[in-house]
Amino acid sequence: MSWFPQAALNEGVQKREVFGWAMYDFANSGYTTVVLTAVFNAYFVGVVAQGASWATLAWTLCIAVSSAITMFTVPALGAHADQRGAKKRLLAWTTAGCVLATIGLAFCGRGDVALAAVAVVVSNVFYSYGEALNAAFLPELSRREALGRVSGWGWSFGYFGGMLSLGLSLGYVLWAQGQGQQATQFVPVTMLITAGVYGVASLATFALLKERARPQPAAASAQGGIGDALARLARTAREAGQYRDFAWLMACSTAYQAGIAVVIALAAVYAEQALGFAQTDTMALVFAVNIASAGGAFLFGYWQDRIGHRRALGATLVGWLLMTLLAYAATSAPLFWVAAVLAGLCMGSSQSAGRALAGVLAPADRLAEFFGLWTFATRLAAIVGPLTYGLVTWLTSGNHRLAILSTGAFFLLGLALLRPIDVARGMRAATAGDTVKA
């Protein structure tokens, strides 16, 4: 852990705690990499739904439903975690839920659309809960001036976890194909591998990460935890003007994360449907993307602390626009590989920058609640982005190129919504709680 200075951490925080926190990114990244990006999405479209004309739309609907559930529950979950000082305890429950639901995916074969849909929805909801709760620890660990670096450490470490799950899965798939096995035989095993890595790696988080939050007085009111949480969210809505820069960040995040959600949920589908990639080719491609993402998140974290989170996020959105154009123009594998590696660099950088900026603008005594609101924005994006892609393919009789081109509009909108954010004003609101006027 000598690769980052103790001076970047808050007083009393040990490096091993940051390692434990980053290990959660390491643990859960395999879920997004294998289930949502590289393996199960294409398996759902081509095998579970048997390549039906509605298959891509059905996959995007599963993502949309899980995201809608998360949207309307995670802010209250975050408020409840703040009031009870229970981020770590809730993180344990949500981790177990995602691991078990991922195991459920192993039982999905040809024609099992209903079972697969339920397992995807449940696993993605619990994954999203865990992502929000873990992110809420970031401002407790890092000094404000080092949030970009510490967030980048977590994201970059996470991509190595994704590569571990994907690498083990790819190795097994290559062996299984050599034995003449079909996708219905080897894809379920990759789900078990992913669940196993998630569960085992997350143990480091629960062993090393401390719960610093303390129960707040509101937790003792007669309403009880959930009632208090909802009342607290209502108060946050009434105080929206005070946290206007955080509100702009939510709007911006919804826009650009919609485009990122398309890449996460549909990259493998696009590669196979538009360019004819085999499943092993797609897995190798996603493996390379994870390498680029890890490097981008780690190195970019230092750069964003130097130039500012807002400017850094804007630079990544320009990169996403270029990626979209390259993917649209690609008619063969080499150019699409270039687009995919660029997507990896932008993925790690933009995700890290967004999380760090949310940490800067969130009040210190309401971290889980505000990161719950940030997750609300990202889950709304996960509805809008993939559904837009799915609808475009459905309305154009499977034109995946036009669907990927339409994704660029989300990054353009994100750039426009980034402009009104005043980081200094938002920091004053977060630290002082005074009404801030434009």
Side-chain angles (χ1 to χ4, degrees):
M1 297 293 284
S2 59
W3 39 271
F4 69 88
Q6 183 70 42
L9 308 180
N10 287 325
E11 185 176 353
V13 176
Q14 301 299 315
K15 291 183 179 181
R16 64 175 177 270
E17 274 193 81
V18 182
F19 174 76
W21 172 76
M23 275 299 293
Y24 197 81
D25 279 338
F26 183 96
N28 73 356
S29 291
Y31 174 79
T32 55
T33 302
V34 178
V35 176
L36 300 184
T37 304
V39 179
F40 198 81
N41 51 358
Y43 178 77
F44 180 94
V45 172
V47 178
V48 177
Q50 302 179 75
S53 60
W54 45 263
T56 299
L57 181 59
W59 172 254
T60 60
L61 283 171
C62 291
I63 302 300
V65 169
S66 64
S67 298
I69 293 171
T70 304
M71 276 174 54
F72 292 108
T73 55
V74 75
L77 180 73
H80 178 72
D82 283 332
Q83 291 175 353
R84 301 288 178 176
K87 296 193 301 296
K88 186 175 177 180
R89 184 168 67 250
L90 289 173
L91 184 62
W93 281 106
T94 59
T95 299
C98 186
V99 168
L100 290 173
T102 303
I103 292 173
L105 293 172
F107 296 93
C108 300
R110 195 176 304 277
D112 295 328
V113 176
L115 175 61
V118 171
V120 167
V121 169
V122 172
S123 63
N124 201 26
V125 167
F126 280 118
Y127 164 81
S128 301
Y129 287 162
E131 185 181 41
L133 290 165
N134 190 57
F137 282 96
L138 174 60
E140 294 180 351
L141 301 174
S142 170
R143 297 184 187 276
R144 282 187 177 269
E145 63 272 17
L147 280 169
R149 276 170 285 170
V150 178
S151 179
W153 299 336
W155 278 111
S156 61
F157 206 48
Y159 287 115
F160 286 107
M163 283 187 280
L164 174 62
S165 295
L166 184 60
L168 292 173
S169 297
L170 178 58
Y172 180 80
V173 169
L174 290 172
W175 175 84
Q177 288 181 333
Q179 301 298 310
Q181 294 185 20
Q182 301 300 312
T184 50
Q185 296 172 286
F186 58 73
V187 167
V189 177
T190 67
M191 298 299 102
L192 297 178
I193 291 171
T194 302
V197 172
Y198 194 164
V200 172
S202 67
L203 295 178
T205 301
F206 301 113
L208 299 173
L209 187 61
K210 295 180 181 178
E211 176 66 81
R212 285 181 162 75
R214 294 291 178 264
Q216 299 174 16
S221 75
Q223 276 186 295
I226 298 300
D228 285 336
L230 294 174
R232 188 167 169 141
L233 284 173
R235 187 188 77 186
T236 301
R238 292 194 298 270
E239 297 171 352
Q242 180 176 344
Y243 302 106
R244 66 184 64 186
D245 295 293
F246 191 90
W248 277 115
L249 176 62
M250 287 182 64
C252 172
S253 297
T254 301
Y256 80 80
Q257 291 278 4
I260 293 176
V262 170
V263 177
I264 292 173
L266 294 154
V269 175
Y270 183 83
E272 294 186 15
Q273 298 294 322
L275 296 171
F277 275 42
Q279 190 165 59
T280 50
D281 295 330
T282 302
M283 294 173 74
L285 179 74
V286 174
F287 193 88
V289 168
N290 272 263
I291 295 175
S293 297
F298 183 79
L299 297 174
F300 194 82
Y302 288 87
W303 188 53
Q304 66 173 296
D305 282 334
R306 186 171 297 121
I307 70 170
H309 305 300
R310 179 177 171 275
R311 289 176 61 191
L313 182 56
T316 68
L317 297 185
V318 173
W320 275 115
L321 280 170
L322 178 59
M323 182 283 304
T324 303
L325 294 174
L326 290 174
Y328 171 74
T331 56
S332 60
L335 185 57
F336 189 70
W337 270 82
V338 173
V341 171
L342 179 58
L345 291 171
C346 294
M347 180 85 70
S349 304
S350 55
Q351 300 283 52
S352 173
R355 181 166 67 177
L357 189 52
V360 166
L361 301 177
D365 62 338
R366 299 162 74 178
L367 292 176
E369 177 183 346
F370 270 68
F371 271 99
L373 292 171
W374 180 65
T375 301
F376 178 97
T378 62
R379 292 305 93 192
L380 176 59
I383 295 174
V384 175
L387 265 185
T388 300
Y389 186 103
L391 286 170
V392 171
T393 59
W394 184 51
L395 294 172
T396 60
S397 300
N399 191 332
H400 286 265
R401 293 188 181 280
L402 184 59
I404 200 68
L405 183 63
S406 69
T407 303
F410 293 120
F411 299 119
L412 278 174
L413 182 59
L415 277 169
L417 293 171
L418 183 64
R419 290 180 60 86
I421 297 176
D422 184 327
V423 177
R425 179 180 63 191
M427 288 177 64
R428 289 196 299 271
T431 55
D434 295 328
T435 301
V436 179
K437 296 182 179 180

